[in-house]
Amino acid sequence: MKIVLSAALATFCAWSAPALAQAPAAGFPNVVGALKTTPGCLGVETAQTASGRQVIFAWFDGKKAIVDWYHSDVHQKAMRTVFPNQAFDREPLPDLPEDSGPILAIVSVKFADAPAPDTRSRSIAAIGIELYGPLPGGVAVGGRFAPEAIKVRGLREIEIGTAAR
């Protein structure tokens, strides 16, 4: 879990600084940009919740893609930038089956109200990473949030014009 949390923090920090109108730390890689070009990453969205959490939604086509992302140079650099004294010597997601199917990774960060001591950046009050897979069912009227490449058994897709009648 520590590795997944580190991955979440590193991924989030690269995205959140521009969203908060702060410059990213010197030398911090563009993690969201890299995610968007990563093989097996099917889509990336970012958002801010009403409670102030900054959120990244990243869809992967399976375990191999998310583990490859974890080991990528950009992600490793991001983790080392955020946690310079931490050793990352464990294989991520050891309990997830190889044939898990599509994975939605949600990273959420709540920043502290005040800047961290001796810095201009806000410290992190809470961070979470959660992994989900598509469940059968649901409805999409006029479009959907997940990338089209994510196949959802039983998903009803309805054109907006049909629903408006």
Side-chain angles (χ1 to χ4, degrees), residues 4-151:
V4 174
L5 182 60
S6 299
L9 179 59
T11 300
F12 187 79
C13 287
W15 169 75
S16 64
L20 297 170
Q22 297 174 340
F28 202 91
N30 179 349
V31 176
V32 170
L35 264 171
K36 290 178 178 181
T37 63
T38 294
C41 183
L42 304 173
V44 179
E45 289 281 345
T46 58
Q48 181 174 340
T49 68
S51 66
R53 287 184 184 269
Q54 302 293 318
V55 184
I56 296 174
F57 303 88
W59 289 266
F60 293 89
D61 63 10
K63 179 180 179 177
K64 180 181 180 336
I66 200 168
V67 169
D68 287 351
W69 162 250
Y70 172 85
H71 290 295
S72 72
D73 291 342
V74 169
H75 185 257
Q76 291 294 309
K77 180 178 181 181
M79 287 192 309
R80 282 193 278 286
T81 301
V82 175
F83 297 106
N85 300 317
Q86 178 69 41
F88 301 102
D89 55 359
R90 180 179 169 281
E91 187 64 25
L93 307 175
D95 299 324
L96 186 67
E98 297 299 322
D99 63 350
S100 62
I103 299 167
L104 168 59
I106 301 175
V107 180
S108 65
V109 175
K110 176 80 171 167
F111 287 95
D113 293 331
D118 301 325
T119 72
R120 292 185 331 211
S121 59
R122 297 187 310 174
S123 61
I124 293 174
I127 183 169
I129 183 167
E130 302 169 42
L131 303 177
Y132 296 96
L135 297 173
V139 63
V141 180
R144 52 193 277 196
F145 185 60
E148 292 296 323
I150 302 290
K151 302 304 176 202

